[in-house]
Amino acid sequence: AAKKKGKNSFEYFTPWMQQQSRQRSGLIKELRQALGQQQFLLHYQPVFELTTGQLTKAEALLRWQHPAKGIIEPADFIALCEETGIIIPLGSWVFQQAIRQLSLWQPRLAPDFQLSINTSLLQFQDKQKDILLCLNNLKHYQLSTKQLIIEVTEKTLMDSHHNITEKLLALQQAGINVALDDFGTGYSALASLTRQDISFIKIDRSVIHNIAASSADRILCEAIIAMAHKLSIKVIAEGIETEAQKQLLLDAGCDYGQGYLFSPPIPAQSFQLLLKQH
Ligand code: C2E
Ligand code: MG
Ligand code: MG
Ligand code: MG
């Protein structure tokens, strides 16, 4: 019976699936308009040096201010932006916006302050070399390349096509630091550490979450930090929510931390106030 039905595959298209697909194409349509209608914005999460408590970095995190639904978080739209290619113009916008913001904060910043920007694999696969345009953006505002960190995922480091190595090298040679995001979630993570010249790894929230409760996760975390340091890579812990987690990370020699214990991601203006306090 299945074979007979196979020809008319629409019979498998249930009302539920129809609704899903309608919602999806609706969302795609809205996403395509969102950039032109300036519905995207960046929030900034402070990153602290753990031993001194100094505010030394910020991570720019994308938000979608939907006209009807309110603020939508990246988990609900980044994947769709990647599937549709919208991430290419959106990613360029993120770079422009973040670097413009950095230039506005510049008078208040410590000389070693760095702004961290997330990227998708697709932005590195793009033939237009869009990813290298951030160098022009920095130059335009007379900012130093040392002030920027580009966060990549393991997916990006593992892609051996599209001249990605070459592009990463060009960024690094220009002085931009590269951070490996979401470390501790993949399978080939150890190998990816040695692939490129990486300045930072960011230990994923899922690892940090359990370090106070599970000795196995604590040991994993300590091993990651020790290994990174042997490779001259600095470590940023993500998703620190408790004093206990912070203390364990300090004991393990972790360099930097971000998380709700210190501050959630906040609007640019609030971040400016934070800079004043520090
Ligand atoms: P990520 O780069 O790993 O960012 C860290 C995420 O953890 C952020 O979620 C942040 O709000 C959240 N977080 C930070 N501290 C805590 C904590 O203490 N507890 C908990 N529960 N969460 C914490 P967010 O902002 O929802 O972003 C999710 C992901 O979306 C990011 O993960 C990143 O992969 C992606 N993303 C965000 N902005 C961009 C962007 O501009 N471009 C691209 N390609 N991806 C982005
Ligand atoms: Mg990140
Ligand atoms: Mg991460
Ligand atoms: Mg991520």
Side-chain angles (χ1 to χ4, degrees):
K3 200 179 172 193
K4 208 171 146 199
K5 269 187 184 170
K7 281 191 179 167
N8 313 318
S9 52
F10 62 86
E11 280 186 38
Y12 291 109
F13 215 63
T14 63
W16 182 81
M17 286 164 77
Q18 252 167 27
Q19 197 203 341
Q20 289 294 301
S21 141
R22 252 201 309 275
Q23 271 178 7
R24 196 184 127 93
S25 38
L27 206 58
I28 292 173
K29 210 174 138 204
E30 289 178 333
L31 271 172
R32 288 199 200 284
Q33 293 165 350
L35 198 54
Q37 297 183 355
Q38 304 181 348
Q39 291 169 7
F40 291 108
L41 69 156
L42 293 175
H43 280 180
Y44 298 86
Q45 187 173 37
V47 178
F48 296 90
E49 189 173 49
L50 287 178
T51 50
T52 62
Q54 251 187 314
L55 171 57
T56 56
K57 306 181 199 307
E59 177 175 11
L61 292 156
L62 193 57
R63 301 288 180 263
W64 178 14
Q65 176 77 61
H66 189 281
K69 296 174 195 153
I71 290 210
I72 304 181
E73 306 231 322
D76 297 322
F77 67 88
I78 289 277
L80 212 50
C81 289
E82 289 173 342
E83 284 170 43
T84 54
I86 294 173
I87 197 70
I88 301 288
L90 181 55
S92 298
W93 178 85
V94 168
F95 271 109
Q96 282 171 37
Q97 181 67 12
I99 290 169
R100 198 174 67 94
Q101 191 56 251
L102 185 64
S103 80
L104 294 174
W105 290 334
Q106 178 71 352
R108 293 191 190 285
L109 298 176
D112 57 349
F113 185 90
Q114 293 181 305
L115 182 62
S116 206
I117 297 177
N118 290 284
T119 60
S120 294
L121 168 62
L122 221 69
Q123 290 172 268
F124 279 90
Q125 292 177 332
D126 186 41
K127 287 212 177 62
Q128 307 304 317
K129 296 198 179 178
D130 260 14
I131 203 82
L132 298 177
L133 287 179
C134 63
L135 294 171
N136 296 343
N137 293 151
L138 287 168
K139 210 180 275 167
H140 176 80
Y141 291 108
Q142 295 172 309
L143 294 167
S144 160
T145 49
K146 300 219 161 40
Q147 291 176 278
L148 206 65
I149 298 173
I150 290 189
E151 295 191 13
V152 300
T153 60
E154 213 171 355
K155 254 202 218 160
T156 301
L157 294 190
M158 288 302 167
D159 183 332
S160 49
H161 307 287
H162 308 100
N163 300 321
I164 290 179
T165 307
E166 195 183 75
K167 287 172 194 167
L168 281 169
L169 202 67
L171 290 170
Q172 282 157 336
Q173 281 174 347
I176 290 179
N177 286 157
V178 174
L180 176 56
D181 203 356
D182 304 336
F183 195 80
T185 53
Y187 292 103
S188 47
L190 293 189
S192 64
L193 269 192
T194 56
R195 277 243 168 149
Q196 308 277 344
D197 185 13
I198 293 161
S199 302
F200 300 97
I201 57 168
K202 303 193 72 169
I203 304 180
D204 195 70
R205 180 153 55 89
S206 57
V207 177
I208 303 301
H209 189 74
N210 290 319
I211 52 170
S214 138
S215 60
D217 279 20
R218 198 195 70 236
I219 290 164
L220 174 69
C221 186
E222 288 167 353
I224 292 172
I225 294 167
M227 185 178 56
H229 284 168
K230 279 191 181 148
L231 294 164
S232 301
I233 297 170
K234 298 271 189 198
V235 182
I236 305 171
E238 274 186 345
I240 304 175
E241 293 184 351
T242 67
E243 274 296 335
Q245 291 166 348
K246 180 189 147 192
Q247 196 52 53
L248 284 169
L249 288 161
L250 262 170
D251 293 345
C254 183
D255 304 285
Y256 304 98
Q258 62 188 97
Y260 294 171
L261 175 66
F262 310 112
S263 165
I266 51 179
Q269 280 187 332
S270 315
F271 195 86
Q272 172 119 16
L273 289 178
L274 205 66
L275 284 172
K276 259 189 213 166
Q277 289 164 17
H278 275 264

